[in-house]
Each structure stands twice: as structure tokens, then as C-alpha cells.
Amino acid sequence: MLDVPDLIPLISQILNGLLFGAYYVMIALGLSMIFSLGGIVNLAHGAFYAIGAYLAVTLAPHIGFGGALIASPLAVALIGLVIERYLLRRFYTADPILGLLLTFGLAMVAEQSLRILYGAAPVPFSIPQALRGQVFLGEFVYSRYRLMILGTAVLCVAGLWVLLAKTAFGKVVRAGVQNPDMVGALGISLKPYMTAVVMIGVGLAALAGVLIAPIAGVHPAMGQEIITFAFVVVVIGGLGSFWGVVAAACIVGVTRGVAAHFYPAATEASVYLLMVLVLLLRPRGLFGERIQKFE
Amino acid sequence: MPLDTSLSRRTILKASAGAAALGTLGAPAISYAQSEAIKLGHITPRTGFLGPLGEYAVQAMQLAVEEVNAAGGVNGRKIEVIYDDSPNPQQASAKAERLIQRDKISALIGEISSASALAIAQVVQREKVLFINTGANSDALRGSDCQRYMFHIEAQNSMYVKAVGRSLVANGLVTGKKWYSLTADYAFGHDLLNVAKRFMAGNNANHAGDDLIPTDLADFSPFLLKIRQARPDVVILNLAGTQITNFLKQYAEFGLTFPVAGFGFDTALAWGAGPGNFGGIWPALWHHLVDTPNSKKFVAAFNAKHRRPPENQAWGEYCSLKIIAQSMAETRSTDPTKIVEHFEKGAKFDVLKSRESYFRARDHQMMTEMYAITALPQAQVKNQWDIFSSSPPVPGPNESLEVIAATEEENKCVFRSA
């Protein structure tokens, strides 16, 4: 039987994991939406995240961190628009392997472009003065800046949920995920919706990149640090499930924290182990819906 | 918009594997054919968590080659370097083999990862080609895994620990104190942790705990919470590559105030952390503020070319190329065996420091001065490069250069006869 004081470190890790999980949501939701509607597994998602971070570093001296927080995701969404319109669109009906190869290639091109433009060394960037400091909750300490990240993530999730669940736009997107042919038969073209979904998805990835830039190294390969994790979240949560992705991100965060507490060397590996377990016991993911076209 | 019905959720699983593969693909070799030239190979990680250092390595190599060739080359022949990239030990070994067998290089320079250097060492020993290791720190490479054809301009972990350890002891951070460590979870980190434990225990410090950190970890928050709960007197970092940048940023973010010290360091990672984030006492094999005429010349030439000062990884390639050029001129030969003998006889080299350096014959480790650097408080930082103050060279002018290196007892090397 553990004493209560012994449990405090573990509880801190669980709380911290939940908070960081919220951050993964921003990256994983976009990935999940693009896959659910377009059938494209966007391996370049991490690249958009990295571009978002680099744009923040470039723009912040001119328009401030707040300005960069808005401008950088918008700029990346526009890049997403161009890429969807001229590249991704050709692959929705093609063999999925081709889409994989395309986005794999895009990720490499983006990473190398960043390396050519900014160099391979991490680019210096710090938390804005106004957001520095910590919040203490008994034994638990959290940075004020991370609370801001948490707030932003919650706003994004809420906004996206309203968009998908409560608007006409969302209805078409959800219908398109379930049965694109029927949507087409009703005379609705999914093309502009797909463009919008890609813009929102990569814009969210860029926003996550901006948010991480002050607290983690900004370097060309930073996208690789999160892309595999984002996939794991999507797989665990279940395809097509909005809340599944949200729940999975929190579970992944907590798993990481608990592993760090008991067996730190497995901090990252624990997440993959969790994925294997979920796939064995529930191949559709925790909250995966039955989607006709994926069966 | 009809969708291909063959699409399955297995696709996304394959994609996850693909995402993991993204980090492991290397860039193709670039070679410039030229007859007559002396061919050398350079191999180092260009991507991944050590990629930032690999870039300095390549830039410094190019600068050194330009300088040697502008001065007439070696024995009337130009030097030509074939560059390649080593994202992991398997590729490091395969590419070293290709450079030797296909390109017929006379010597190989480079590497940063201790795991990859170990793989390369086996190839060069089999092929009898000289290899100068410029960035892999593991003591084991100079001990149980030592090879006759491998030399180390990079300092060994023991040198890093003992060099900065003196400053830590002087600052009262060791004797009778409680230390907590974070260690990079691969060959380098494991080796360094052993050396660190030996040093700290030898100076009566108590180990409060260690966490092994995956190499591509971006979020240190779980470990920062553990450090806070452990309340150590000093936090010791046995980290590598972008891990150091991530740690520095988040340690500042969480407002932890336990003194920080590192047993492994590269300046570029502190430069990349950003204003207000760099703290603590760290070891350096060389840094851009070393006050010797040749060091200043190197910094000025590198700065003119790349608009940033070089860091210690750049120093390693720059000096290695100069050492090879000088030795080939002195022996009037490109034969690796002759160069190895030349090194083993104790040839002295100017490596931009106040004392000349040499390779120690019994383990091929370069005996050279090091420095302990201390982060400046933010108010005293005037530009993005000069963010630390440096100790005088360690060991001091009246000491043997060997006093900071591992003793034979600590790290025994037996060269197997070829």
C-alpha cells in the first residue's frame, strides 16, 4: 500500500501528461481529418509543423509573438491550399501508396529547404517576457506558457467541434467521410471542402509549431519528433472519431508520464506499446467508427 | 469524389512506419572526380538530432581543404574530399566501406555518434585505412573497442568529465552533494554515465538518480517534475545533440534553480536555445573565444564564409584535415600505415590552442587542452554568440596534458595485431 506522499509524483506526471496530450490534439486532429475525408495519409504533416515554427521565429521580431501566432498558421494554410489544389487533389482516387510517396517526398523537400534557408543548427527563440513564469498547485508546478498552450488547444478543439458538428460545412464534411459517392449524387462537389479541410489541418499543425518554438529546439528535423506520435494518436483514437483523437491524445500523454515515472527509458516506447495493445484488442481504435469505405 | 476501395486502415499503419523511416534515410554521396588528387573521405550525420553539428563539421572541412589547396596542396597534390552522410551505424559502416573500396580514399575523417564510430572502426581496421574520429566521445572507443587505425581528435568522456569536474569541485558542487542526472539513451550516454559515476563517487558525491532520455525526445516536462521532486544540489546532463537545446529551454521555462552542469557539450546547441535559456557550467574541447592568434584566424575565416562563428565540431574537422595534410607532407607519403606510425611516434600538432597537442600512443587519444565554460547572466550577454565565459586551459601550463585523460587502469586499450 502506497502512502499518499508517494503518490504525489505519480499524480503530477498524470496531470502533466493530460496537459501535454491536449497539445498533441492539435496535430493529430488535422492528420485524422485529412485522412478521413481525402484518404491521404499526410506524412508531410510534421513539415507543416516545422514551417510554422520557423515562420514564427522569422515573423516574431517584426509583428510580435501574438502576431506570429496568427500570421504563421494562416501563411501555412495558404501553402496547404496550393499543395492541395495542385498536388494532393490528383491522388484522392489513386493507389494510397502514391499519396504516401508524395507526402513522404514533400516532407523531405520541406526539411531540406529549411536546412538550406536557416541552416541545420537550432534557431534561437525564447518565451515572450509576458508569458514567462510558473504556476504552483501544491507540489505540482506548471509553466504559465504551457497553460497558454493548453488554453489555445482547448479553443481549437472546441472551435473545430462546433464547425464539424453544428454547421452546414461540417455536415457535408461528415457525410463526405461516410459516403462520398452519395454526397456527389446529391450534387455537392467535395473539392472545395477538401481544400478547406487541408487548410485547417495544416494550419493547426503550424499553430502547434508556433506554440512549441519557444520551449523546444527549432531545427529542420523537428517535424520528425512529432509526426510518428501524431499517427499513433490517430491510430489509437480510431479513424473518423473526433473525440477518439482527443481522448487518445490525453491517454498517450498520461502513458508517457506514467512510463517516465516508473521506467524512464521507455518514455517513448510505452506509447508504441499502447498502440500495439489497442490494435490487438480493438483494431478499429478506441472510438473508431465503422466507415464503409475503409472496411 | 470517389475513393479507392482498396484503402484500408492498414494504410495508416504503414504510414506510421514510413514516418519513422523519414529520419533514417540518408543523402546520397556527392563526389567530384579528379585525378592526381589525394582523396579523403568525410562522413558525419547531416540529419537527425546530431545534424546541427554535422553541418559545422562539413563547413569547416571545406574551409580547411580550401586553405590547404590554396597553399599548394600536399607534396604537390591537391586534396579532394568526398562527403557522405551517416544517419545511423548501419549506414555509417556501409558508406565507410564504399568510400574505401570504390573511391580508394587514403583516410577517413568525421563522425559524431559513438555508435556509428564503433561501426566505422571495424571497417577501417579491416581495410587498413586511417580514421580520425572528430566527434564521438565514448571512452570505450579508446578502450575495449580501440583499433590501431583509429585516432581521436575528439576528447574522450573522461576528459570532458575531469576538465569540467575541476570547476564543479571548485564551486562546491560535488563533494558531499546530491546529484541527479539525465543521460542520452545510446552508446555515448551509457559510456558517459559510467565515467560520471566514477568521478562523482571518487569525489564523495551522492547519486540521487538517473533517467535515460530517448535521443529524439522533445518534451522534457516529465523529467523536470522528477528533478524538482528529487531536489538535488546539482543536475548533471549527459545529453547530446538537440536534447541539450530542448532541455535548456524547458529548464528555464519551468523555473528550476538547481545548479546545472554538463559532461558533454556542443556550443551550437546553447546558441540555439535562445536568450535567457542557457545556464550552467559545461566542458568545451575548444570554443570561438579561445585567445590564440591561430584560433582567431580560424574564427575570422569561418565567420567571413558562413556569417557565424565556428563551434567545437568545426574545430575538430578543421584541425584533423590540417593534421593529415601536415603528416602526409612530413612523411612524404599517403600510406595509412606510415601515418599511423608517425602519429604513434608522438608527432606534435598546432590545434589553435596555447600548447601543441599529440596523439597518445597507447590509446590514440589526442592529448590537448580543454576549457570549462560558464553561462553568462542574461544581462551581461551582448550578442547571440558570446554567451559564456571560459576558464583558462585545463590542464594548466605546468601540468601534463594527460592528467585529465583516462588512466590505463580506467580505460585499457589493447591493439589487436592486424
Side-chain angles (χ1 to χ4, degrees):
Chain A
M1 190 66 196
L2 285 167
D3 288 332
V4 175
D6 290 342
L7 282 175
I8 286 172
L10 183 59
I11 293 167
S12 308
Q13 293 292 1
I14 291 172
L15 200 55
N16 180 53
L18 272 176
L19 296 173
F20 204 71
Y23 170 76
Y24 288 135
V25 175
M26 280 189 285
I27 304 159
L29 270 182
L31 202 59
S32 171
M33 280 168 63
I34 293 169
F35 180 75
S36 301
L37 188 61
I40 294 269
V41 176
N42 184 20
L43 283 176
H45 214 62
F48 291 107
Y49 163 88
I51 294 170
Y54 271 95
L55 278 177
V57 174
T58 311
L59 295 174
H62 307 289
I63 57 174
F65 184 73
L69 201 59
I70 295 163
S72 167
L74 285 180
V76 170
L78 288 178
I79 299 174
L81 172 99
V82 174
I83 286 176
E84 195 282 333
R85 177 67 192 76
Y86 294 100
L87 292 172
L88 292 185
R89 188 169 284 185
R90 297 160 193 266
F91 292 89
Y92 296 142
T93 55
D95 184 332
I97 295 299
L98 296 179
L100 270 184
L101 283 174
L102 171 78
T103 54
F104 187 80
L106 277 176
M108 290 174 85
V109 168
E111 185 182 324
Q112 194 56 29
S113 303
L114 289 174
R115 199 167 277 124
I116 290 167
L117 285 171
Y118 292 91
V123 184
F125 199 58
S126 298
I127 301 176
Q129 206 64 47
L131 293 169
R132 290 189 193 178
Q134 294 78 34
V135 178
F136 296 91
L137 196 87
E139 271 297 296
F140 185 65
V141 61
Y142 211 58
S143 84
R144 285 181 57 202
Y145 182 77
R146 278 185 204 225
L147 283 180
M148 195 276 282
I149 294 186
L150 177 67
T152 313
V154 169
L155 279 180
C156 287
V157 171
L160 212 52
W161 181 77
V162 169
L163 184 70
L164 289 174
K166 303 287 176 195
T167 65
F169 171 88
K171 279 191 183 119
V172 176
V173 170
R174 282 184 295 137
V177 169
Q178 282 297 341
N179 196 335
D181 295 338
M182 185 57 81
V183 175
L186 290 170
I188 299 170
S189 167
L190 273 177
K191 277 184 184 168
Y193 291 91
M194 195 54 218
T195 310
V197 162
V198 169
M199 288 175 72
I200 293 170
V202 302
L204 279 175
L207 180 62
V210 178
L211 290 171
I212 204 77
I215 56 169
V218 179
H219 59 103
M222 64 185 293
Q224 288 170 23
E225 291 174 343
I226 53 99
I227 183 76
T228 327
F229 254 52
F231 274 113
V232 170
V233 168
V234 172
V235 171
I236 292 177
L239 288 172
S241 168
F242 183 87
W243 294 112
V245 169
V246 176
C250 294
I251 294 170
V252 162
V254 170
T255 306
R256 240 181 120 248
V258 172
H261 180 75
F262 288 109
Y263 191 66
T267 307
E268 309 291 76
S270 66
V271 173
Y272 301 109
L273 199 66
L274 177 70
M275 180 174 81
V276 169
L277 276 179
V278 168
L279 285 174
L280 283 176
L281 301 174
R282 209 180 142 76
R284 198 176 286 160
L286 291 179
F287 301 88
E289 289 169 25
R290 193 181 168 79
I291 298 174
Q292 219 173 10
K293 70 188 182 197
F294 295 142
E295 295 300 322
Chain B
M1 192 167 55
L3 276 144
D4 191 311
T5 47
S6 71
L7 182 64
S8 75
R9 74 168 53 82
R10 282 176 199 282
T11 311
I12 202 162
L13 289 177
K14 286 180 195 154
S16 312
L22 257 179
T24 61
L25 281 184
I30 305 163
S31 70
Y32 308 93
Q34 195 182 58
S35 59
E36 304 282 318
I38 298 171
K39 281 191 185 172
L40 304 176
H42 182 260
I43 200 170
T44 210
R46 303 293 299 275
T47 55
F49 80 113
L50 297 172
L53 309 172
E55 185 180 72
Y56 279 96
V58 170
Q59 290 177 346
M61 199 63 188
Q62 288 164 341
L63 175 65
V65 171
E66 276 171 29
E67 288 183 6
V68 168
N69 285 342
V74 175
N75 303 333
R77 294 165 72 187
K78 295 261 184 246
I79 289 211
E80 179 203 334
V81 175
I82 302 157
Y83 295 91
D84 214 330
D85 150 358
S86 59
N88 57 49
Q90 293 75 22
Q91 293 220 31
S93 145
K95 288 180 171 180
E97 203 163 80
R98 194 170 66 192
L99 283 168
I100 293 168
Q101 292 176 353
R102 188 191 68 189
D103 300 308
K104 313 281 181 220
I105 54 167
S106 307
L108 185 62
I109 298 173
E111 204 36 67
I112 299 172
S113 155
S114 290
S116 295
L118 178 61
I120 293 171
Q122 283 153 3
V123 175
V124 295
Q125 186 63 25
R126 193 172 63 231
E127 303 282 343
K128 298 195 170 44
V129 167
L130 173 67
F131 168 44
I132 298 192
N133 158 31
T134 59
N137 303 23
S138 283
D139 274 21
L141 291 168
R142 294 85 170 155
S144 52
D145 297 323
C146 69
Q147 299 285 5
R148 181 132 196 264
Y149 283 84
M150 172 165 63
F151 288 78
H152 312 274
I153 192 166
E154 172 63 279
Q156 59 185 184
N157 280 332
S158 281
M159 291 165 69
Y160 276 93
V161 169
K162 290 180 188 177
V164 76
R166 282 188 179 190
S167 289
L168 300 185
V169 171
N171 280 292
L173 292 172
V174 181
T175 311
K177 300 290 181 180
K178 187 162 87 165
W179 63 293
Y180 195 97
S181 53
L182 299 182
T183 298
D185 194 7
Y186 78 110
F188 153 78
H190 301 169
D191 188 280
L192 180 52
L193 179 61
N194 287 334
V195 176
K197 280 180 174 168
R198 188 166 64 211
F199 177 84
M200 296 301 270
N203 286 281
N204 299 315
N206 308 310
H207 200 190
D210 177 79
D211 289 328
L212 289 174
I213 307 292
T215 51
D216 54 357
L217 184 88
D219 171 38
F220 275 81
S221 60
F223 304 105
L224 297 175
L225 293 176
K226 291 179 85 169
I227 289 173
R228 185 166 174 272
Q229 273 138 9
R231 300 192 195 289
D233 297 309
V234 59
V235 182
I236 296 284
L237 302 168
N238 306 317
L239 300 177
T242 47
Q243 284 183 328
I244 293 180
T245 310
N246 290 337
F247 173 85
L248 288 170
K249 285 178 128 173
Q250 290 166 32
Y251 196 75
E253 181 203 356
F254 273 74
L256 299 183
T257 50
F258 312 111
V260 167
F263 281 161
F265 185 65
D266 292 281
T267 321
L269 309 166
W271 286 335
N277 292 332
F278 180 46
I281 304 176
W282 302 78
L285 180 55
W286 176 86
H287 56 75
H288 71 292
L289 300 174
V290 167
D291 195 14
T292 65
N294 283 340
S295 180
K296 286 179 168 170
K297 244 197 301 195
F298 168 51
V299 172
F302 192 96
N303 225 332
K305 214 168 162 215
H306 299 292
R307 284 173 299 157
R308 60 177 182 178
E311 64 107 69
N312 47 288
Q313 190 58 53
W315 171 90
E317 320 311 277
Y318 183 83
C319 291
S320 296
L321 195 276
K322 295 285 175 100
I323 285 172
I324 286 194
Q326 183 189 332
S327 302
M328 284 178 170
E330 282 170 2
T331 59
R332 304 208 61 78
S333 165
T334 57
D335 178 3
T337 312
K338 291 227 170 83
I339 309 281
V340 167
E341 284 167 8
H342 184 65
F343 286 169
E344 285 186 338
K345 278 183 205 146
K348 293 266 200 317
F349 302 100
D350 174 2
V351 291
L352 320 179
K353 300 180 185 177
S354 53
R355 288 161 84 175
E356 286 190 316
S357 303
Y358 60 93
F359 290 108
R360 182 161 71 174
R362 77 166 169 76
D363 62 357
H364 291 183
Q365 171 64 52
M366 173 161 276
M367 294 297 118
T368 190
E369 294 170 331
M370 294 188 67
Y371 312 85
I373 62 168
T374 306
L376 288 175
Q378 204 188 345
Q380 291 174 31
V381 173
K382 299 208 169 51
N383 62 55
Q384 75 178 102
W385 311 115
D386 305 340
I387 58 175
F388 54 81
S389 62
S390 173
S391 74
V394 185
N398 302 320
E399 290 177 283
S400 158
L401 286 171
E402 298 203 20
V403 297
I404 53 170
T407 61
E408 186 149 23
E409 194 181 34
E410 287 168 343
N411 197 38
K412 192 173 170 60
C413 157
V414 180
F415 293 120
R416 272 141 289 184
S417 49

